[in-house]
Amino acid sequence: MQKSKDSKGRWRNRTVAFRVSQREWEMIDCMVSLSGLQKQDYILRKLMDWEVTIQGSSRIYKALKLQMDKIYQELKRLETGERPDEDLLTTLQMVALTLNGMKEESQHAEIRKCF
């Protein structure tokens, strides 16, 4: 069997693995789905402190809708005056950042059309 290189011509023959809790796994999955990247690419970019750029797509919109539904259900469950947990606030922040980034991307696309 012939070895293959990735899209940038690199041999990727090393494996990095680590254990996480169920809660951490769910948060990672949420962040990955909102990024639109593959899990490997997302984790590598975050570890290397490289920029994670989100390109709007139907998959991103679906992930946003799913997360917003989860946030809404969790907020409805809270008692009056009860503070949401940190995971919910982190997810809400990720959704807001994603939507804000997509808004800016849309505005830049409109500006480029004018020129």
Side-chain angles (χ1 to χ4, degrees):
M1 188 165 127
Q2 186 177 6
K3 293 182 181 180
S4 60
K5 295 181 180 182
D6 71 0
S7 63
K8 294 187 178 180
R10 300 172 293 202
W11 293 106
R12 288 207 159 161
N13 59 352
R14 301 287 185 211
T15 300
V16 175
F18 55 96
R19 296 185 185 278
V20 294
S21 69
Q22 180 65 32
R23 185 173 134 218
E24 292 164 336
W25 176 264
E26 290 167 1
M27 289 302 297
I28 291 169
D29 263 357
C30 173
M31 290 185 243
V32 168
S33 70
L34 290 174
S35 76
L37 297 170
Q38 293 180 358
K39 191 172 284 183
Q40 171 181 318
D41 293 328
Y42 179 83
I43 291 172
L44 182 62
R45 288 180 187 198
K46 294 301 272 186
L47 285 172
M48 303 296 274
D49 203 23
W50 296 338
E51 183 177 7
V52 175
T53 304
I54 298 169
Q55 299 293 323
S57 69
S58 59
R59 190 169 72 184
I60 299 296
Y61 286 115
K62 185 177 178 180
L64 284 167
K65 182 183 180 320
L66 178 67
Q67 290 305 318
M68 288 301 295
D69 286 343
K70 287 180 181 179
I71 290 167
Y72 177 68
Q73 292 304 319
E74 185 62 21
L75 289 174
K76 280 187 4 182
R77 187 193 63 75
L78 293 175
E79 298 289 329
T80 303
E82 187 179 351
R83 183 163 167 74
D85 66 12
E86 288 301 313
D87 290 347
L88 181 65
L89 294 175
T90 301
T91 302
L92 186 55
Q93 183 179 22
M94 282 290 300
V95 168
L97 288 170
T98 302
L99 284 171
N100 191 41
M102 291 173 67
K103 177 183 169 192
E104 289 174 10
E105 177 185 311
S106 173
Q107 289 172 342
H108 290 306
E110 288 299 316
I111 292 170
R112 283 192 298 269
K113 284 182 187 176
C114 294
F115 293 101

